[in-house]
């Protein structure tokens, strides 16, 4: 798909144009499959979500195409869409807007936008595609109290946002907050948190095996099995077997 950037034009209804272009590459079979994949049934974590059936690379292309003309008001419309892919495309744009911001004040405004609209960041892929790139990046050299407020909330997606945001820190070899938030979420009832915490612990271990190993030695007996399996996935077979056998 060729990228033709949209020119700034106040008469453009950009949200409608973005949605129209997304719909033009939708796939009916995929639209039927995705609600099952993202658990949209009654009582499931994605209950009530709607899908157009669009591959992520296509969403990224469309996000890039419209990015130069997109303004905050347009993102506000897009991120509130009932369609999952529209919200994800909006988040791709938001991440880009944040990363391209030239001043701290401008970055802070996009962070505020993200937090104020986080009720629409309501599935695991939406969180994972934005939290560390926006919130983690912003808080790296700042007070990280907001992550603990999210972790201690009763909202599944806020809690996932808290632990995934620390991925930015992990990439800077800064593990303290990952481990502290992992402890907060250690007894969480939902497997999406078990997987997220295990994943972040695994990322710590890729960079500092001893740090992850020490955390697991302290907590492995009481952590959920899924969390443990995710955390030790890259360990040598005999080490994995040792933790699973204990």
């Amino acid at each position: 798909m060729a990228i033709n950037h949209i020119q700034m034009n106040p008469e453009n209804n950009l949200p409608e144009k973005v949605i129209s272009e997304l719909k033009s590459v939708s796939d009916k079979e995929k639209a039927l499959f995705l609600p099952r994949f993202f658990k949209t049934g009654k009582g499931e974590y994605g209950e009530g979500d709607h899908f157009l059936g669009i591959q992520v690379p296509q969403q990224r292309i469309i996000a890039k195409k419209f990015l130069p003309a997109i303004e905050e008001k347009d993102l506000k419309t897009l991120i509130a869409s009932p369609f999952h892919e529209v919200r994800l495309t909006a988040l791709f744009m938001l991440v880009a807007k944040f990363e391209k911001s030239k001043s701290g004040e401008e970055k802070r405004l996009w962070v505020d936008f993200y937090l104020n609209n986080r009720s629409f960041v309501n599935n695991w892929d939406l969180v994972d595609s934005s939290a560390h790139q926006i919130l983690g990046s912003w808080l790296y050299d700042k007070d990280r109290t907001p992550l603990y407020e999210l972790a201690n909330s009763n909202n599944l997606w806020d809690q996932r946002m808290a632990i995934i945001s620390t991925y930015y820190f992990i990439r800077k070899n800064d593990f303290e907050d990952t481990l502290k938030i992992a402890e907060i979420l250690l007894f969480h009832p939902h497997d999406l948190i078990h997987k997220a915490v295990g994943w972040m612990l695994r990322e710590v271990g890729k960079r500092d095996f001893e740090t992850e190993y020490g955390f697991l030695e302290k907590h492995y007996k009481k952590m959920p099995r899924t969390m443990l399996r995710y955390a030790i996935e890259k360990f040598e077979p005999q080490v994995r077997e040792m933790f699973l056998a204990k």
Side-chain angles (χ1 to χ4, degrees):
M1 183 185 299
I3 298 175
N4 299 306
H5 291 305
I6 302 300
Q7 298 299 313
M8 293 294 285
N9 184 339
E11 296 181 358
N12 280 345
N13 189 328
L14 286 177
E16 284 188 9
K17 290 179 182 293
V18 172
I19 294 169
S20 177
E21 186 131 355
L22 286 167
K23 287 181 176 179
S24 74
V25 295
S26 64
D27 181 285
K28 290 182 180 180
E29 289 187 9
K30 195 171 183 66
L32 292 173
F33 165 74
L34 289 174
R36 297 193 298 273
F37 182 74
F38 284 102
K39 308 296 184 185
T40 64
K42 186 173 178 59
E44 295 182 309
Y45 63 76
E47 181 177 353
D49 208 351
H50 300 277
F51 290 82
L52 294 168
I54 307 168
Q55 296 181 2
V56 170
Q58 292 173 308
Q59 294 172 61
R60 290 189 180 277
I61 289 170
I62 291 170
K64 186 175 181 180
K65 172 179 177 177
F66 285 90
L67 181 64
I70 287 290
E71 298 178 357
E72 181 180 351
K73 61 182 175 61
D74 304 314
L75 284 177
K76 178 68 175 177
T77 299
L78 292 169
I79 203 170
S81 171
F83 291 106
H84 188 103
E85 294 97 334
V86 177
R87 300 199 304 281
L88 182 54
T89 301
L91 286 167
F92 290 150
M93 293 177 180
L94 180 58
V95 168
K97 288 286 188 184
F98 173 81
E99 291 178 343
K100 290 175 181 293
S101 296
K102 298 187 182 302
S103 70
E105 179 62 19
E106 188 179 356
K107 284 184 180 291
R108 186 188 64 79
L109 291 174
W110 289 123
V111 172
D112 289 346
F113 178 93
Y114 183 62
L115 290 173
N116 290 337
N117 289 280
R118 71 183 187 277
S119 62
F120 304 114
V121 187
N122 57 354
N123 214 311
W124 58 265
D125 62 322
L126 304 178
V127 173
D128 297 357
S129 298
S130 58
H132 64 288
Q133 293 164 289
I134 297 175
L135 195 54
S137 174
W138 174 251
L139 292 176
Y140 178 64
D141 58 355
K142 299 174 181 65
D143 178 8
R144 299 173 184 179
T145 298
L147 295 186
Y148 292 87
E149 293 172 349
L150 293 172
N152 284 297
S153 76
N154 292 317
N155 182 279
L156 171 66
W157 306 120
D158 283 358
Q159 292 168 319
R160 188 167 175 116
M161 190 176 288
I163 188 66
I164 296 298
S165 290
T166 71
Y167 192 20
Y168 187 90
F169 311 157
I170 293 169
R171 289 176 167 178
K172 301 287 187 179
N173 293 313
D174 179 350
F175 311 129
E176 181 178 356
D177 293 285
T178 302
L179 302 183
K180 287 181 177 179
I181 292 173
E183 287 185 327
I184 292 171
L185 299 175
L186 200 62
F187 303 109
H188 198 283
H190 206 291
D191 72 336
L192 285 176
I193 297 298
H194 303 167
K195 292 173 181 177
V197 172
W199 171 23
M200 290 302 101
L201 292 173
R202 184 173 75 232
E203 292 298 327
V204 170
K206 286 180 182 178
R207 296 157 177 83
D208 188 332
F209 175 82
E210 293 301 326
T211 293
E212 184 192 2
Y213 190 91
F215 182 91
L216 293 177
E217 274 284 280
K218 182 178 179 182
H219 296 293
Y220 78 94
K221 289 182 179 179
K222 52 193 174 184
M223 69 168 46
R225 204 67 167 175
T226 297
M227 187 184 295
L228 177 60
R229 287 185 179 277
Y230 268 62
I232 64 176
E233 186 178 286
K234 299 298 182 181
F235 284 9
E236 293 295 325
Q238 64 271 22
V239 180
R240 286 203 311 273
E241 290 170 10
M242 179 185 68
F243 274 108
L244 291 172
K246 288 181 179 179

